[in-house]
């Protein structure tokens, strides 16, 4: 399965790319596997996003602290961005 | 009553008589309204009649600091102001960072009230107890940058000078007051100052703000610094510009006068692009470890040499709203606005409106003097700022603001993106329903700050899902009340969490500063301030129907992006507004009930 991942702001700086298509075997996976896949192929640091970022799965915010519980499937898109904190 | 934080006195300056009095602030008012926005609103209620014309000698400009302004802690920078706004023709509150507020406190004053009108152009110099109203013939007609240069000899740094530019002298309703690069941005305070024949106020104080328990306050300040250093890293790295990419991703980025929520040109105006191509250095307000201002410089091309620090809202209004994807033009536009003394947000919004009217053929090339006022034309956007500031050609009409335009062109009212005369900020409420109440119920018109910035809560809390209707009224009340006390304290909202201020984590900085345990009362103070502002609005004839959103948001669905198909229908909006009024203890027309006023101990003001 293929998942489109987009990085914003500091996550973009850290990962060194603005977006990437990742491939995971099978047609379903958990967010945790996306994290590991990104850790292997970029400088992305999942701990940081778990602590202070926002993860959007298909444009909806998901619980980034429980990546074992968030399911992803082929064709999904995921965005990593920092917490918005005041206008 | 207070052992620190306050000086307990303010300056009342009658410009006509050149009479300068030092008057006391009643401690009871400080306890009930804190300072800044709250105290300025209380004085406004007392002193500005509902039929006062904004640019008349009867209007007053009321400046107040908060207890934290100038105190030896991080970001103790803010000064608030209240006046009758020429842009909205109603109550206005506004605030700014910089060194003006802190130095006013160090000079020995919590605030200034300016009354009447000077006989000739003047400026005011405050150096501790030496206060002079001086001749300003030489300053009249000058830009704010030139004023800073001339007056710089009098004070240590330009951030201690508050001034208005040519736009204010020309009565442009969205002209602002500049404090260095910072602005009392919204609502036309610049025009009010200029209508009093005052060009600037410069202040230098040699004293210190008293602190009740200095060692403990110092420790609390240290903790606040380390907390904000860690938690606001992205503000330091990107400033508020960081929101550009995410808001576009959420489908909430107002594009071409709110015709859509996704801007195809976002990649060249987002923070990442700014950082790589234009960023020079960070700049900070008074004692702020975050230093969120991103000072940018244009190195090449037609805007070469332009320098400024555009905020998210400025990038949104001069950029996406005008369909402009050239960041260099935004840096130049922002620089011009600072120089000429004009609010980037209102001016961007009104230019965007003019662009749409031009494309519809409702504004002709003759009216624009041949300027192709089309979306995406960055040169036209920059040129129009000047034309508005100097009231040239079409600029003369646009200088009168949205309310006047709505009266002249009622058939286009649906696309005039304002509430109560104040243009919307750079978030589309169709993508965050709570933001609709933010704009609708903000006491100064469509403001994302005073009205309560709901976006974080709508993203992070399941019960406040951004497209949910139920619960938004209660949510907005709580965010607005928080903002009500923060704006009254004298610190920047970005840094507020470092101080705590709530029971969890226990925030005692205010107690160490003032000797009074404000913490348990802060939310009530915020609510009191908001309710007092509503009483003022009611007195000035503003009720439920004035809380309505522009037609475009109510009738046109967002055509693309994450919020595609969403619209704030009348039904949705009225449900949220009913819940909000009920949470506030206001009746169906948006009038505070006697019971709620009694609970807030302000029933005597009704
Ligand atoms: S966070 Fe930014 S706006 Fe707030 S005080 Fe610091 S520099 Fe000024």
């Amino acid at each position: 399965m293929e998942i489109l991942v987009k990085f914003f702001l500091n996550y973009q700086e850290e990962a060194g790319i603005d977006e990437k298509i990742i491939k995971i075997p099978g047609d379903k996976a958990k967010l945790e596997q996306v994290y590991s896949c990104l850790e292997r192929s970029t400088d992305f640091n999942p701990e940081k996003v778990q602590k202070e970022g926002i993860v959007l799965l298909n444009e909806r915010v998901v619980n980034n602290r429980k990546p074992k519980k968030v399911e992803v499937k082929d064709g999904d898109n995921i965005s990593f961005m920092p917490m918005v904190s005041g206008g | 009553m207070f052992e620190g934080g306050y000086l307990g006195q303010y300056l009342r300056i009658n410009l006509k008589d050149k009479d300068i009095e030092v008057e006391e602030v009643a401690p009871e008012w400080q306890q009930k309204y804190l300072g800044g926005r709250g105290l300025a609103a209380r004085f406004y209620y007392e002193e500005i009649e509902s039929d006062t014309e904004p640019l008349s000698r009867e209007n007053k400009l009321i400046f107040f600091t908060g207890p934290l302004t100038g105190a030896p802690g991080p970001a103790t920078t803010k000064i608030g102001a209240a006046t009758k706004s020429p842009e909205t023709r109603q109550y206005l509150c506004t605030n700014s960072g910089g060194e003006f507020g802190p130095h006013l406190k160090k000079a020995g004053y919590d605030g200034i009230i300016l009354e009447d009108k000077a006989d000739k152009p003047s400026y005011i110099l405050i150096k501790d107890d030496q206060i002079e109203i001086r001749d300003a013939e030489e300053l009249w007609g000058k830009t704010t940058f030139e004023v800073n240069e001339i007056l710089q000899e009098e004070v240590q740094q330009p951030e201690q000078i508050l001034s208005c530019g040519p736009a204010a002298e020309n009565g442009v309703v969205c002209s602002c007051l500049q404090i260095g690069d910072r602005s009392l941005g919204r609502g036309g305070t610049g025009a009010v100052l200029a209508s009093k024949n005052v060009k600037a106020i410069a202040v230098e104080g040699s004293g210190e703000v008293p602190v009740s328990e200095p060692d403990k306050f110092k420790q609390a300040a240290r903790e606040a610094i380390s907390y904000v250093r860690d938690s606001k890293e992205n503000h330091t790295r990107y400033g508020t510009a960081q929101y550009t990419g995410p808001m576009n991703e959420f489908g909430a980025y107002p594009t071409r006068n709110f015709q859509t929520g996704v801007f195809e040109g976002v990649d060249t105006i987002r923070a990442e692009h700014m950082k790589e191509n234009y960023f020079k250095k960070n700049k900070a307000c008074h004692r702020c470890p975050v230093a969120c201002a991103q000072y940018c410089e244009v190195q090449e091309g037609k805007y070469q040499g332009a320098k400024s620090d555009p905020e998210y809202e400025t990038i949104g209004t001069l950029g996406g709203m005008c369909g402009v994807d050239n960041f260099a033009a935004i840096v130049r536009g922002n620089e011009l606005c600072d120089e000429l003394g004009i609010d980037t947000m209102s001016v961007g919004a009104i230019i965007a409106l003019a662009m749409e009217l031009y494309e519809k053929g409702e504004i002709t090339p003759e009216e624009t003097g041949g300027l192709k006022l089309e979306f995406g034309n960055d040169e036209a956007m920059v040129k129009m700022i000047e034309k508005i500031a100097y009231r040239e050609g079409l600029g003369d009409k646009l200088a009168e603001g949205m309310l006047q335009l709505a009266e002249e062109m009622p058939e286009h009212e649906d696309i005039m993106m304002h509430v109560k005369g104040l243009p919307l900020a750079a978030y589309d409420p169709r993508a965050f329903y709570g933001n609709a109440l933010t704009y609708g119920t903000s006491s100064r018109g469509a403001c994302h700050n005073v009205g309560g910035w709901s976006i974080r809560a709508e993203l992070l809390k399941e019960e406040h899902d951004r497209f949910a209707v139920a619960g938004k009224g209660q949510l907005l009340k709580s965010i607005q009340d928080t903002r009500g006390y923060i704006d009254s304290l004298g610190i920047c909202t970005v840094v507020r969490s470092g101080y705590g201020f709530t029971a969890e984590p226990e925030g005692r900085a205010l107690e160490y500063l003032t000797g009074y345990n404000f913490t348990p009362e802060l939310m009530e103070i915020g609510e009191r301030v908001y309710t007092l502002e509503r009483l003022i609005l009611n007195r000035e004839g503003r009720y439920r129907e004035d809380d309505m959103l522009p037609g475009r948001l109510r009738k046109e669905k967002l055509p693309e992006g994450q919020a595609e198909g969403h619209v704030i229908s009348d039904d949705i909006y009225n449900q949220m507004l009913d819940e909000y009024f009920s949470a506030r203890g206001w009746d169906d027309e948006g009038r505070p009930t006697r019971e709620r006023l009694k609970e807030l101990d302000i029933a005597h003001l009704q």
Side-chain angles (χ1 to χ4, degrees):
Chain A
M1 62 189 251
E2 287 189 353
I3 291 168
L4 171 67
V5 184
K6 292 188 199 173
F7 302 93
F8 287 77
L9 300 152
N10 51 326
Y11 299 114
Q12 188 176 115
E13 269 187 51
E14 282 150 22
I17 40 170
D18 54 1
E19 58 179 58
K20 182 180 175 71
I21 292 175
I22 56 166
K23 292 187 175 142
I24 300 176
D27 54 5
K28 264 189 198 160
K30 303 285 182 199
L31 183 58
E32 190 187 34
Q33 287 165 268
V34 176
Y35 285 170
S36 332
C37 181
L38 288 171
E39 243 183 321
R40 280 196 304 274
S41 56
T42 71
D43 289 330
F44 175 76
N45 176 357
E47 258 174 47
K48 207 165 170 184
V49 86
Q50 273 172 263
K51 207 174 126 209
E52 60 196 36
I54 298 179
V55 180
L56 293 160
L57 171 62
N58 299 329
E59 284 110 33
R60 301 305 281 243
V61 176
V62 291
N63 192 338
N64 52 346
R65 290 177 193 199
K66 295 190 177 146
K68 282 190 180 129
K69 293 207 164 154
V70 179
E71 205 160 88
V72 295
K73 56 181 185 339
D74 186 40
D76 280 353
N77 63 69
I78 295 177
S79 305
F80 296 108
M81 57 180 70
M83 193 82 82
V84 290
S85 67
Chain B
M1 178 169 193
F2 301 107
E3 291 154 9
Y6 297 102
L7 282 312
Q9 56 182 22
Y10 67 97
L11 291 171
R12 184 177 290 275
I13 303 179
N14 185 297
L15 295 157
K16 183 166 172 26
D17 303 338
K18 297 198 169 183
D19 185 31
I20 299 165
E21 299 287 340
V22 178
E23 298 188 352
E24 275 184 20
V25 187
E28 187 211 337
W29 281 18
Q30 289 161 333
Q31 193 190 350
K32 282 172 91 169
Y33 305 97
L34 272 177
R37 175 172 151 200
L39 213 43
R42 185 63 186 86
F43 275 95
Y44 183 105
Y45 182 87
E46 208 63 29
E47 302 198 14
I48 299 182
E49 303 284 337
S50 56
D51 58 355
T52 299
E53 285 297 323
L55 301 184
S56 70
R57 59 173 67 235
E58 286 75 34
N59 197 8
K60 299 186 185 187
L61 247 175
I62 303 168
F63 297 98
F64 266 95
T65 59
L68 275 161
T69 312
T76 48
T77 181
K78 293 280 185 176
I79 184 158
T83 192
K84 187 87 173 271
S85 157
E87 187 173 19
T88 61
R89 305 173 193 161
Q90 60 149 60
Y91 165 81
L92 169 74
C93 58
T94 175
N95 70 54
S96 174
E99 298 287 339
F100 185 86
H103 268 272
L104 186 65
K105 290 276 289 279
K106 288 175 184 185
Y109 314 101
D110 290 331
I112 308 173
I113 298 182
L114 291 183
E115 304 181 337
D116 216 317
K117 176 180 182 177
D119 292 335
K120 55 181 185 164
S122 309
Y123 77 95
I124 300 166
L125 182 64
I126 301 168
K127 286 191 170 179
D128 297 334
D129 54 359
Q130 300 293 309
I131 300 142
E132 290 175 57
I133 302 174
R134 292 186 169 181
D135 184 277
E137 288 294 351
E138 183 199 3
L139 299 177
W140 214 252
K142 297 271 193 284
T143 68
T144 63
F145 294 179
E146 289 165 336
V147 171
N148 286 346
E149 238 178 272
I150 298 168
L151 293 186
Q152 210 165 345
E153 292 163 12
E154 306 284 359
V155 291
Q156 290 168 24
Q157 45 188 332
E159 287 76 16
Q160 291 166 236
I161 302 165
L162 172 150
S163 69
C164 62
E169 293 173 28
N170 295 328
V172 176
V173 299
C174 64
S175 53
C176 62
L177 290 171
Q178 284 295 125
I179 298 178
D181 312 327
R182 297 280 165 191
S183 324
L184 287 138
R186 307 224 69 191
T189 44
V192 177
L193 188 73
S195 75
K196 304 197 162 302
N197 254 338
V198 176
K199 184 70 178 173
I201 310 174
V203 59
E204 180 134 320
S206 62
E208 290 301 333
V209 174
V211 180
S212 169
E213 295 186 75
D215 291 341
K216 287 183 178 169
F217 184 77
K218 221 178 189 172
Q219 182 54 30
R222 263 193 229 118
E223 285 165 17
I225 290 172
S226 74
Y227 179 87
V228 295
R229 274 217 179 105
D230 287 353
S231 63
K232 300 293 169 186
E233 196 191 328
N234 272 309
H235 268 80
T236 307
R237 221 192 275 197
Y238 307 105
T240 51
Q242 65 180 291
Y243 304 136
T244 305
M247 288 309 146
N248 197 62
E249 186 75 5
F250 299 138
Y253 198 60
T255 301
R256 292 183 288 278
N257 199 31
F258 284 85
Q259 292 188 62
T260 173
V262 181
F263 183 36
E264 66 288 351
V266 76
D267 282 346
T268 49
I269 62 168
R270 63 198 304 155
E272 296 89 332
H273 180 82
M274 169 191 85
K275 202 78 195 179
E276 222 176 290
N277 298 285
Y278 299 95
F279 175 78
K280 268 273 156 222
K281 59 178 178 190
N282 286 86
K283 283 182 95 176
C285 301
H286 181 76
R287 301 180 75 116
C288 181
V290 180
C292 73
Q294 309 284 305
Y295 191 71
C296 292
E297 227 179 279
V298 181
Q299 304 289 355
E300 56 188 13
K302 58 188 169 184
Y303 301 109
Q304 187 176 14
K307 302 180 190 81
S308 69
D309 46 3
E311 297 281 342
Y312 166 78
E313 305 297 340
T314 301
I315 300 167
T317 47
L318 301 183
M321 278 283 279
C322 292
V324 167
D325 61 4
N326 180 346
F327 197 82
I330 296 170
V331 176
R332 175 59 186 145
N334 189 38
E335 181 180 47
L336 257 182
C337 287
D338 288 354
E339 204 173 349
L340 304 176
I342 197 162
D343 173 22
T344 55
M345 291 170 68
S346 284
V347 86
I350 207 148
I351 293 171
L353 168 65
M355 285 174 162
E356 185 167 353
L357 292 172
Y358 180 88
E359 290 195 350
K360 285 188 154 98
E362 299 292 335
I363 289 177
T364 63
E366 290 73 51
E367 284 176 280
T368 64
L371 197 65
K372 283 199 176 127
L373 200 53
E374 291 159 348
F375 285 117
N377 184 346
D378 56 271
E379 289 177 26
M381 179 274 284
V382 171
K383 192 77 208 151
M384 272 320 298
I385 295 173
E386 268 183 284
K387 281 179 174 278
I388 291 171
Y390 288 106
R391 287 186 172 269
E392 289 164 9
L394 178 68
D396 187 37
K397 189 171 174 161
L398 302 183
E400 290 298 322
M402 292 264 184
L403 282 182
Q404 182 68 28
L405 274 183
E407 281 164 21
E408 286 172 21
M409 307 172 97
E411 68 281 19
H412 297 297
E413 211 178 345
D414 278 356
I415 62 164
M416 296 187 183
M417 306 307 290
H418 72 95
V419 176
K420 302 183 181 78
L422 197 72
L424 271 60
Y427 311 94
D428 194 314
R430 288 169 293 186
F432 288 93
Y433 285 10
N435 187 237
L437 276 184
T438 303
Y439 290 146
T441 63
S442 153
S443 45
R444 67 174 181 178
C447 168
H448 61 296
N449 284 327
V450 170
W453 201 74
S454 62
I455 288 171
R456 180 187 167 97
E458 292 189 81
L459 274 176
L460 298 182
K461 300 202 173 136
E462 230 167 272
E463 70 271 27
H464 298 314
D465 181 273
R466 61 189 175 127
F467 302 118
V469 174
K472 293 293 164 67
Q474 187 64 48
L475 172 71
L476 261 293
K477 175 191 178 289
S478 149
I479 301 173
Q480 289 174 350
D481 291 349
T482 304
R483 187 74 199 208
Y485 79 72
I486 294 292
D487 284 347
S488 305
L489 281 171
I491 50 141
C492 171
T493 181
V494 175
V495 173
R496 72 174 189 229
S497 43
Y499 284 95
F501 294 137
T502 51
E504 216 25 75
E506 194 186 25
R508 301 191 63 185
L510 257 185
E511 191 182 337
Y512 300 147
L513 175 69
T514 62
Y516 181 83
N517 185 13
F518 271 112
T519 301
E521 295 168 26
L522 287 174
M523 283 304 274
E524 188 180 325
I525 292 174
E527 181 173 1
R528 187 178 297 120
V529 171
Y530 220 83
T531 307
L532 169 64
E533 290 177 330
R534 188 67 180 192
L535 285 179
I536 295 171
L537 292 190
N538 289 165
R539 192 170 74 176
E540 293 177 354
R542 300 278 202 248
Y543 297 98
R544 184 187 186 105
E545 65 173 347
D546 302 292
D547 300 331
M548 293 301 149
L549 299 179
R552 167 159 281 162
L553 302 179
R554 293 185 281 119
K555 299 173 192 169
E556 294 178 22
K557 291 181 177 170
L558 276 170
E560 60 191 315
Q562 283 186 22
E564 183 181 341
H566 284 274
V567 67
I568 306 286
S569 67
D570 287 347
D571 189 35
I572 288 176
Y573 188 66
N574 280 319
Q575 276 185 57
M576 293 195 294
L577 194 60
D578 283 343
E579 188 193 302
Y580 171 82
F581 282 173
S582 143
R584 281 228 168 275
W586 298 354
D587 69 14
D588 288 350
E589 282 305 305
R591 284 177 296 231
T593 56
R594 185 120 195 108
E595 294 71 48
R596 185 53 60 97
L597 293 175
K598 269 193 200 153
E599 282 160 20
L600 295 170
D601 197 14
I602 48 174
H604 58 288
L605 297 181
Q606 200 177 27

